[in-house]
Amino acid sequence: MSVTEKPEIIATDFPDHTQLPDSDGTFVKNFQQHPQSILLTTSIRPILDQIHPDGQYCIGQDSGIYWRVPRPPEPPERGSEAPDWFYVPDVPPTLDGNLPHSYVMWQELMPPRIVLEFVSGDGSEERDSTPRQGKFWIYEQIIRPAFYGIYEVKKAQVEVYHLVEDRFELVPPNERGHYQIAQIGVELGIWQGVYQGVELPWLRWWDASGNLLPAAEERAEQERQRRIEAELRIQALEARLGELESG
């Protein structure tokens, strides 16, 4: 009787990001999601650039995270979740000189540091803990980000969970009503204000001291205001010197 050894399965036997769909064919659920993602990304990039001076990190916005290879007739995208926003430390932002189509767990190996979902319905999908099917279960048991946030703009609230051993535990808010993301040195919370001409309860970052982290266009406006104030101070000084000279 002969024994046939089963060949070892290695990572190269699985498809990579170029061989997997980069879309599940659905539309973005509402017009707020795109600016919300931009707000989160541009405001935290200066912090992440300090944490990763070598630039080894990636941010995904409505991008797929592949965690399994479905068996036909299941379509390939059934093996992925597409968080509205996520950050992964210590991975290259490009693969072979190109931006990745998606984040493939068996290729990159690093779990996300934080995953954020923007609720458009009643939140049941984001809290579904059905084994191997529910989004909450897949994040908690398979993808395993250190933090998982569920943001509901209609309720002006965010729930933040922290992975402790094998379970997500609800993070309590601090005295400012924010949620500490200690590994990044920031806080996450709700900011009622105007961004891109729309007033909403936006999901935003603060630093560890409670200072709001400005988005790219807000930093540009702050710099413009500083230049105007500097020019006004120079003009006032020149006018004062002119008065002294004429006097």
Side-chain angles (χ1 to χ4, degrees), residues 124-143:
S124 58
E125 179 183 354
E126 290 75 15
R127 298 179 178 90
D128 187 352
S129 57
T130 305
R132 300 193 66 81
Q133 296 180 23
K135 186 169 288 189
F136 191 98
W137 187 93
I138 291 169
Y139 286 141
E140 180 185 58
Q141 298 297 318
I142 306 296
I143 298 176

Side-chain angles (χ1 to χ4, degrees), residues 134-223:
K135 186 169 288 189
F136 191 98
W137 187 93
I138 291 169
Y139 286 141
E140 180 185 58
Q141 298 297 318
I142 306 296
I143 298 176
R144 297 175 63 81
F147 293 91
Y148 173 41
I150 302 174
Y151 164 56
E152 298 187 75
V153 64
K154 293 178 181 178
K155 296 182 179 180
Q157 71 176 28
V158 59
E159 288 178 10
V160 177
Y161 295 86
H162 179 35
L163 188 67
V164 179
E165 296 183 351
D166 294 325
R167 291 288 182 269
F168 277 148
E169 292 188 0
L170 195 61
V171 177
N174 62 15
E175 67 278 5
R176 290 183 283 270
H178 303 159
Y179 301 88
Q180 291 183 315
I181 313 297
Q183 288 91 330
I184 316 175
V186 297
E187 299 175 356
L188 186 66
I190 301 297
W191 175 80
Q192 183 70 41
V194 177
Y195 177 68
Q196 292 194 2
V198 179
E199 181 169 357
L200 284 173
W202 297 94
L203 185 64
R204 297 201 62 163
W205 307 106
W206 285 259
D207 66 19
S209 299
N211 300 304
L212 185 68
L213 298 180
E217 55 267 58
E218 293 170 333
R219 291 196 297 273
E221 177 60 22
Q222 290 172 359
E223 181 58 31

